[in-house]
Amino acid sequence: MDSDVFHSSTRRSFHGKHGPAGVCRPGGDEGQGKNGGEKSLYERLGGKKAITAVVDEFVANVAADARINKFFALTASDPKRMATFKGNLVDQICQAGGGPCTYAGKSMKEAHAGMGVSTADFSALVEDLVKALDKLKVGEKEKNELLSVLGPMKSDIVEKP
């Protein structure tokens, strides 16, 4: 995805004024939230627009990944279904990061039941997400925090070793 898609405030949120998100000079306000505490992961990622960019890049990575794209072929073939899928992913990441969104999709167990997802498939999916986060220069702290929030879903998604 072309980084020019981001408007300046979104780019600043992803990269911070002084480098990657979450990295700032002493005395800066980069890590402070509205009430003086640390910013939520949602805020540090850059809000919904930035999360949407991550999801778009992630979905493109998955579509190009021959190891796992078969799981998404039906969704990819239907523009309405794809829009719903992406919207659910955005809401899920937004909510998990402390943002104002509410994920209203199926539970991970229900959504993946009977798909036969293996540990290797799940690992490939995580690699595709990391690739998207790296391409958009999400900071290490935010990347690790997001992965630690999403990681526990593995037990509801993986059905075979």
Side-chain angles (χ1 to χ4, degrees):
M1 169 167 286
D2 188 341
S3 64
D4 290 337
V5 169
F6 299 113
H7 58 66
S8 61
S9 65
T10 303
R11 188 175 303 127
R12 190 170 48 250
S13 297
F14 257 117
H15 305 292
K17 290 185 250 179
H18 311 290
V23 177
C24 61
R25 294 185 183 130
D29 64 356
E30 199 76 16
Q32 291 184 355
K34 294 174 185 170
N35 297 325
E38 184 178 0
K39 285 184 177 183
S40 69
L41 176 60
Y42 170 81
E43 291 173 296
R44 288 181 283 128
L45 287 171
K48 194 165 185 175
K49 184 167 182 137
I51 291 170
T52 299
V54 169
V55 167
D56 287 343
E57 187 64 34
F58 169 59
V59 169
N61 291 345
V62 170
D65 190 338
R67 298 173 296 174
I68 57 172
N69 59 12
K70 63 185 175 281
F71 292 111
F72 302 92
L74 214 76
T75 298
S77 68
D78 179 351
K80 184 176 179 184
R81 191 169 172 168
M82 179 57 81
T84 299
F85 176 72
K86 284 183 174 184
N88 280 338
L89 281 175
V90 169
D91 286 344
Q92 191 172 40
I93 293 170
C94 172
Q95 180 178 321
C101 309
T102 302
Y103 172 71
K106 296 177 182 178
S107 72
M108 291 299 97
K109 195 166 208 61
E110 184 183 357
H112 298 89
M115 290 178 68
V117 177
S118 70
T119 298
D121 298 328
F122 186 83
S123 295
L125 189 78
V126 171
E127 287 173 26
D128 290 339
L129 176 58
V130 169
K131 184 177 174 183
L133 295 168
D134 287 345
K135 182 172 182 179
L136 295 171
K137 298 182 177 22
V138 172
E140 284 298 313
K141 177 181 178 183
E142 288 71 25
K143 180 169 51 176
N144 290 333
E145 193 174 332
L146 178 61
L147 293 172
S148 73
V149 170
L150 299 177
M153 295 177 190
K154 178 180 179 181
S155 62
D156 290 334
I157 295 170
V158 173
E159 294 181 323
K160 59 185 185 180

